[in-house]
Amino acid sequence: MSIQTALLLSGPLAVGKTAVRVALVSGRGFAHLRSSEYLRTLARSKFLVPDRLALQTLGDDLDIATDYRWLIADVAQPAFDGNPGQRLWVVDAVRKRRQIDHFREAYGSAVYHVHLTAPEVELRARYYGRQSVQGGEADLTTYEAAIDHDNERSARALIECADLVVDLSSRSPDEVVS
């Protein structure tokens, strides 16, 4: 299996990771891996409601049980192996430093870590704006409660080990990927 690029996205809640992923997939030939989809499927198989807290707890449990390898072993590797002709991948999103380390150990220079950021006031507005457009499926967790979690703190700290930091406050996701 030969991947050309595994682009790992990180950043705070509501920064625009999904929008950047969509821009890469729709216009740049990337295939995507979503850790959240894997966790939602796992939650449903355990008869859990796949809300933010349940997914965070499942991810934490997997981190401990697998030394943070579940993202690469259970999500990325099966997708890479199942699509040998696909050489460009975007992972939305990494949350822990050890997850990045495992990708780098496995794929070396093919791994590129991009951390997305925006001012806190904008992140808060995006979070609440996202809730209002989701209709009845909105997560009723306050922004302050949602960011007061170890996973969120870990994701924000990944700015320190990023190959590139991109501020999304003044540029759209389409502008970022072009």
Side-chain angles (χ1 to χ4, degrees):
M1 185 258 332
S2 171
I3 65 169
Q4 177 182 344
T5 302
L7 187 62
L8 310 180
L9 299 179
S10 67
L13 177 65
V15 73
K17 295 179 293 291
T18 299
V20 168
R21 179 208 15 109
V22 167
L24 287 165
V25 169
S26 65
R28 298 286 182 211
F30 279 79
H32 72 281
L33 301 170
R34 292 187 64 200
S35 56
S36 60
E37 287 304 313
Y38 175 80
L39 292 172
R40 278 188 190 92
T41 300
L42 184 60
R44 288 184 193 107
S45 75
K46 296 177 178 276
F47 304 102
L48 300 171
V49 175
D51 62 9
R52 178 178 307 283
L53 184 57
L55 298 182
Q56 288 173 329
T57 301
L58 278 175
D60 290 344
D61 291 347
L62 288 170
D63 289 341
I64 292 166
T66 68
D67 183 33
Y68 302 88
R69 293 182 200 283
W70 66 272
L71 182 56
I72 194 166
D74 298 336
V75 180
Q77 193 66 53
F80 296 165
D81 291 346
N83 298 285
Q86 179 65 44
R87 302 201 56 215
L88 302 172
W89 293 89
V90 59
V91 180
D92 168 17
V94 292
R95 303 303 244 168
K96 308 281 177 61
R97 175 72 183 252
R98 283 294 289 151
Q99 291 173 333
I100 296 167
D101 293 343
H102 289 308
F103 273 94
R104 291 187 192 276
E105 289 164 10
Y107 300 106
S109 63
V111 175
Y112 197 75
H113 171 214
V114 177
H115 187 84
L116 306 173
T117 189
E120 197 66 33
V121 66
E122 192 164 334
L123 295 172
R124 180 180 287 106
R126 289 178 186 179
Y127 177 79
Y128 287 117
R130 182 170 70 185
Q131 285 183 333
S132 67
V133 299
Q134 289 177 345
E137 306 242 346
D139 179 354
L140 299 178
T141 306
T142 66
Y143 178 74
E144 290 71 20
I147 66 170
D148 187 28
H149 191 280
D150 287 342
N151 284 338
E152 182 63 18
R153 286 186 285 278
S154 294
R156 288 168 179 249
L158 293 178
I159 195 170
E160 297 170 7
C161 66
D163 297 309
L164 177 66
V165 176
V166 177
D167 185 337
L168 288 179
S169 63
S170 61
R171 295 168 43 195
S172 73
D174 287 326
E175 290 172 322
V176 167
V177 302
S178 55

